[in-house]
Amino acid sequence: VAAAATTTTRRETMAGQRRVFVVGVGMTPFLKPGKHDKDYPDFAKEAGERALADATIKYSEVDQVVCSYCYGDSTCGQRAAYQLGMTGVPVYNVNNNCASGASGLFMARQFVAGGLSECVMALGFEKMEPGSLGSKFQDRTNPMDKHMMKMMELHEFVPAPPAAQMFGNAGREHQKRYGTKPE
């Protein structure tokens, strides 16, 4: 779990956007799923407080919060951010699978670079279940259905976690297209 507060100087870049800096970072230890009693609000509070301390700012100085996670309900970001304070700032929930953290940090950067905010917190957290990743909703079209069909056209589907096969086969495809070596 990591949190970062971003802020800017008034100096603009050549593209007209303001320069953005990560001014504080906080993390919690990674814990094995099912082997502890902590919940995602606990992780978020610990990481967020560490990031604020590292940045030497108060939560009341944060204009917006971008929360990134995969496995959770639609407003987990609000619940996580409320552990730091209830100041009325907007809280955005970002879910982009393995890219959730990077997407959240990029979104926070955009708010600052575009001049919408002076200070934005990017707060990532996750509480996973034991075992490999799987689909949660069996009553609707899986968003990965087209990807999986294409992957199975190109590579044999094996009895292993599908996410691992997607990443592994993407690496194979890169090797084939660009001559990338396994080293």
Side-chain angles (χ1 to χ4, degrees):
V1 175
T6 60
T7 191
T8 185
T9 64
R10 288 282 175 200
R11 219 167 75 188
E12 293 186 3
T13 66
M14 291 184 51
Q17 290 190 336
R18 299 183 304 170
R19 293 178 62 191
V20 179
F21 303 94
V22 174
V23 297
V25 177
M27 290 187 72
T28 64
F30 289 89
L31 300 175
K32 190 168 179 75
K35 303 290 184 190
H36 59 85
D37 61 349
K38 284 189 161 188
D39 203 356
Y40 74 91
D42 304 317
F43 294 126
K45 181 179 184 198
E46 186 177 345
E49 287 176 344
R50 288 178 178 178
L52 293 168
D54 189 43
T56 64
I57 63 172
K58 298 179 184 129
Y59 185 68
S60 60
E61 296 176 68
V62 173
D63 300 323
Q64 300 189 70
V65 181
V66 179
C67 293
S68 307
Y69 57 94
C70 266
Y71 288 101
D73 291 321
S74 61
T75 56
C76 285
Q78 282 77 1
R79 179 62 175 85
Y82 293 163
Q83 294 290 103
L84 300 169
M86 295 183 72
T87 59
V89 300
V91 178
Y92 304 93
N93 294 275
V94 175
N95 181 320
N96 197 18
N97 288 338
C98 295
S100 294
S103 297
L105 188 59
F106 183 75
M107 187 175 178
R109 180 218 172 267
Q110 294 294 85
F111 286 140
V112 176
L116 297 173
S117 296
E118 289 297 314
C119 182
V120 178
M121 174 177 272
L123 180 62
F125 53 87
E126 194 65 75
K127 181 176 180 183
M128 300 185 73
E129 298 172 338
S132 62
L133 304 177
S135 179
K136 293 289 180 196
F137 302 104
Q138 303 303 318
D139 63 339
R140 60 200 76 180
T141 301
N142 186 310
M144 296 300 293
D145 67 340
K146 300 276 188 201
H147 292 83
M148 293 300 293
M149 294 305 290
K150 186 64 176 177
M151 183 186 78
M152 290 188 296
E153 282 177 28
L154 300 172
H155 304 281
E156 179 184 354
F157 189 79
V158 296
Q165 291 184 64
M166 294 289 282
F167 286 116
N169 288 329
R172 287 185 181 127
E173 186 68 23
H174 193 277
Q175 285 178 314
K176 183 178 171 185
R177 281 190 186 180
Y178 304 106
T180 308
K181 304 288 183 221
E183 313 67 63

